[in-house]
């Protein structure tokens, strides 16, 4: 079996493909939820699985929004979130209702997309859930705000899989930010790098930093996780 570092590199595109496809399939449902609420959801759309469970500290917000540069000004005006003097973010009751509805809409869209393979979702949810539990020791500030995830009572397997995959992706995102920061780069400098060379060194370091989470699974379970992801439509 390959090392966990090599596995981290192999499984990343599979996780991204499945999650991005599910979000794309759910887009009309999410848009309908947002339009019905008449609110700008801001970071709730991307981080509902953590925000519905706990406030987001300032360092987690800075890490999670590194690439988007979101400042939530308009969303504060809409009253979906509040921020205290320490920079800690919390959703309001209106934001909580909106986030919960978005979570169910994403699950419904994914369930429709994955209809041929719904029987595989409980096992996939179990494996990803174990990874989230393991990530507490190796994740960075964004991951710490996302996991453990919020799941409503009676959540469908599709809701559990989309919620858990969304949080899992932040373990690697934290690893990537740590890798380019350790290389002494700013974000603009990173984005300007050509393929290969230093950029590849950063990707390799990201794999090493992301790898510990996958030690929670046996060799056979890591193969199974890849197979389950590969079999999902999208």
């Amino acid at each position: 079996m390959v090392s966990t570092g090599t596995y981290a590199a192999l499984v990343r595109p599979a996780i991204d493909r499945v999650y991005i496809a599910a979000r794309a399939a759910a887009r009309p449902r999410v848009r309908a939820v947002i339009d019905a609420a008449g609110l700008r959801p801001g970071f709730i759309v991307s981080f509902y699985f953590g925000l519905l469970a706990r406030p987001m500290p300032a360092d987690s917000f800075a890490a999670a929004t590194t690439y988007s540069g979101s400042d939530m000004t308009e969303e504060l005006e809409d009253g979906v979130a509040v921020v205290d003097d320490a920079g800690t973010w919390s959703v309001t009751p209106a934001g909580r209702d909106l986030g919960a509805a978005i979570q169910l809409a994403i699950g419904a869209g994914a369930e429709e997309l994955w209809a041929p393979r719904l029987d595989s979702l409980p096992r996939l949810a179990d494996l990803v859930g174990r990874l989230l539990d393991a990530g507490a020791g190796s994740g960075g500030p964004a991951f710490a705000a996302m996991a453990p995830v919020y799941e409503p009572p009676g959540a469908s397997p599709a809701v559990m899989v989309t919620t858990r995959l969304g949080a899992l992706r932040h373990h690697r995102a934290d690893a990537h930010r740590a890798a380019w920061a350790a290389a002494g780069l700013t974000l603009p400098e990173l984005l300007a790098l050509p393929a290969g060379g230093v950029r590849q060194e950063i990707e390799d370091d990201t794999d090493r930093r992301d790898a510990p989470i996958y030690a929670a699974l046996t060799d056979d379970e890591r193969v199974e996780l890849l197979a389950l992801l590969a079999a999902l439509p999208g």
Side-chain angles (χ1 to χ4, degrees):
M1 180 63 184
V2 300
S3 69
T4 52
T6 300
Y7 183 83
L10 289 172
V11 77
R12 177 195 58 80
I15 290 170
D16 288 349
R17 179 192 68 83
V18 167
Y19 184 71
I20 292 169
R23 292 296 303 252
R27 193 171 293 125
R29 287 179 169 85
V30 172
R31 184 75 261 163
V33 166
I34 293 170
D35 289 346
L39 299 169
R40 290 167 287 195
F43 66 175
I44 294 173
V45 169
S46 298
F47 309 140
Y48 62 85
F49 30 78
L51 288 166
L52 292 173
R54 69 192 64 80
M56 179 182 285
D59 62 337
S60 297
F61 178 81
T65 59
T66 296
Y67 302 105
S68 69
S70 172
D71 66 4
M72 288 288 292
T73 299
E74 294 180 341
E75 291 77 11
L76 284 170
E77 294 172 357
D78 273 7
V80 299
V82 293
V83 59
D84 66 17
D85 291 341
T88 298
W89 291 83
S90 303
V91 291
T92 64
R96 174 169 293 278
D97 289 346
L98 181 57
I102 288 171
Q103 182 177 38
L104 294 179
I106 292 170
E111 187 169 291
E112 183 177 37
L113 175 66
W114 298 336
R117 299 304 303 257
L118 293 181
D119 60 335
S120 71
L121 297 186
R123 177 57 173 166
L124 181 56
D126 173 64
L127 292 173
V128 178
R130 287 168 54 194
L131 293 175
L132 294 182
D133 290 342
S138 56
F143 182 82
M146 306 302 167
V149 296
Y150 170 80
E151 292 170 351
S156 70
V159 167
M160 290 190 287
V161 169
T162 51
T163 296
R164 295 177 189 186
L165 285 179
L168 178 61
R169 295 173 81 230
H170 286 279
H171 190 274
R172 185 174 184 87
D174 277 332
H176 189 239
R177 282 186 293 271
W180 57 259
L185 297 173
T186 65
L187 180 57
E189 289 170 341
L190 170 72
L191 297 177
L193 287 175
V198 174
R199 182 181 285 275
Q200 187 57 53
E201 290 173 6
I202 290 169
E203 289 302 315
D204 293 343
D205 190 24
T206 299
D207 293 335
R208 287 190 291 270
R209 294 170 185 270
D210 192 29
I213 199 170
Y214 296 105
L217 304 181
T218 66
D219 288 351
D220 287 345
E221 287 170 336
R222 290 196 288 272
V223 172
E224 182 184 10
L225 175 59
L226 270 174
L228 288 170
L229 291 169
L232 287 179

